[in-house]
Amino acid sequence: KRLILIGPPGSGKGTQSPIIKDEYCLCHLATGDMLRAAVAAKTPLGIKAKEAMNNGELVSDDLVVGIIDEAMKKPSCQKGFILDGFPRTVVQAEKLDEMLQKQGSKIDKVLNFAIDDAILEERITGRWIHPSSGRSYHTKFQPPKVPGVDDVTGEPLIQRKDDTAEVLKSRLDAFHRQTEPVINYYSTKGVVASLHAEKPPKEVTSEVKNVLSS
Ligand code: AP5
Ligand code: ZN
């Protein structure tokens, strides 16, 4: 399967991705995770992306299209993939279509994580992540077994620099202005399925499985 996960910050894309990935043997490509790794490693890409990310603005289309083009060539992605956080502009969606057309493939489903903005601040400000795996927790909704520590590796959890109420406003603004049009772009192709992303994580997972098995 070739899937796209679209939704505002905190809607649950990164939480559902590992579950879908394991269930369907897909690769998980999260542009946000890849960019954060590049920023941490101070690579040329990371240096270019850092400021926009810290301000809650989108990084340029060319940079993210480049990393996705490269990442999709991985052998683990040949059976199918989950794109988490990409495409986020109509230009990115058009570029992705071109890439897939060259391989004779196309997107099977776009999962739209529909949710009210008002719910997102609590989710974002309570999130703690394990940076090397991208696993996320929440102090209230998904607490780790030991506070501040990753369940799997025992390594410390950190908070994302852009996970403040202030930066969330810019991220939501970017979502509504630049990313919502991408949902319309795929609606015209008849591949969008909308989820009730405000429900508890397990219920969202069941909705995803229903959509993907139909
Ligand atoms: P990115 O990393 O993609 O961030 P985002 O889109 O803002 O999404 P989040 O990761 O915040 O939300 P999520 O939906 O994954 O939520 P999660 O499941 O963790 O992008 C970061 C930045 O990189 C961008 O601002 C931009 O600068 C740049 N960038 C990335 N891609 C780009 C692109 N294509 N083009 C240009 N720039 C790009 O859940 C959040 C919290 O809620 C967690 O604590 C979780 O435990 C909890 N939670 C999850 N589900 C539930 C639930 N159902 N009920 C209760 N709590 C829940
Ligand atoms: Zn995420």
Side-chain angles (χ1 to χ4, degrees):
K1 291 193 193 305
R2 296 179 185 83
L3 311 175
I4 292 174
L5 273 46
I6 299 190
S11 56
K13 307 179 294 293
T15 299
Q16 299 296 329
S17 288
I19 305 169
I20 310 172
K21 172 191 153 172
D22 291 344
E23 179 90 12
Y24 300 93
C25 297
L26 308 172
C27 76
H28 173 208
L29 300 178
T31 40
D33 291 349
M34 294 188 256
L35 289 167
R36 273 184 293 281
V39 171
K42 298 196 170 68
T43 66
L45 168 70
I47 291 163
K48 284 185 204 139
K50 187 174 176 178
E51 197 183 323
M53 293 180 76
N54 286 345
N55 293 332
E57 290 155 11
L58 295 187
V59 168
S60 80
D61 289 331
D62 288 345
L63 286 185
V64 288
V65 168
I67 52 177
I68 283 290
D69 194 15
E70 203 46 52
M72 287 209 309
K73 291 177 187 151
K74 290 194 293 192
S76 60
C77 294
Q78 301 317 307
K79 275 194 182 166
F81 50 74
I82 302 168
L83 294 176
D84 161 3
F86 179 92
R88 255 179 157 90
T89 64
V90 172
V91 171
Q92 291 176 21
E94 288 167 350
K95 294 267 166 108
L96 174 64
D97 273 352
E98 280 172 32
M99 284 184 235
L100 294 175
Q101 253 162 31
K102 277 187 203 150
Q103 313 170 359
S105 69
K106 62 177 178 49
I107 293 298
D108 297 308
K109 226 24 152 206
V110 175
L111 300 174
N112 172 25
F113 283 65
I115 190 165
D116 215 77
D117 282 5
I119 302 178
L120 300 171
E121 185 177 318
E122 189 182 22
R123 284 204 190 173
I124 286 292
T125 54
R127 169 166 56 188
W128 287 80
I129 63 161
H130 177 242
S132 64
S133 69
R135 265 187 293 281
S136 56
Y137 299 88
H138 192 282
T139 47
K140 183 167 156 191
F141 305 125
Q142 297 258 60
K145 288 180 190 131
V146 179
V149 174
D150 178 44
D151 288 352
V152 179
T153 62
E155 289 167 357
L157 302 176
I158 61 157
Q159 281 195 292
R160 272 169 54 174
K161 211 165 178 193
D162 59 348
D163 275 350
T164 62
E166 169 89 27
V167 179
L168 174 62
K169 290 198 188 104
S170 321
R171 290 161 66 194
L172 279 173
D173 186 55
F175 175 78
H176 292 301
R177 282 188 299 117
Q178 295 169 279
T179 308
E180 267 178 352
V182 178
I183 302 172
N184 302 334
Y185 174 89
Y186 287 109
S187 292
T188 62
K189 298 177 189 278
V191 291
V192 176
S194 289
L195 309 169
H196 296 91
E198 77 288 352
K199 290 189 181 168
K202 287 207 172 79
E203 292 181 34
V204 178
T205 303
S206 322
E207 284 195 14
V208 170
K209 287 184 181 169
N210 283 340
V211 166
L212 297 182
S213 63
S214 63

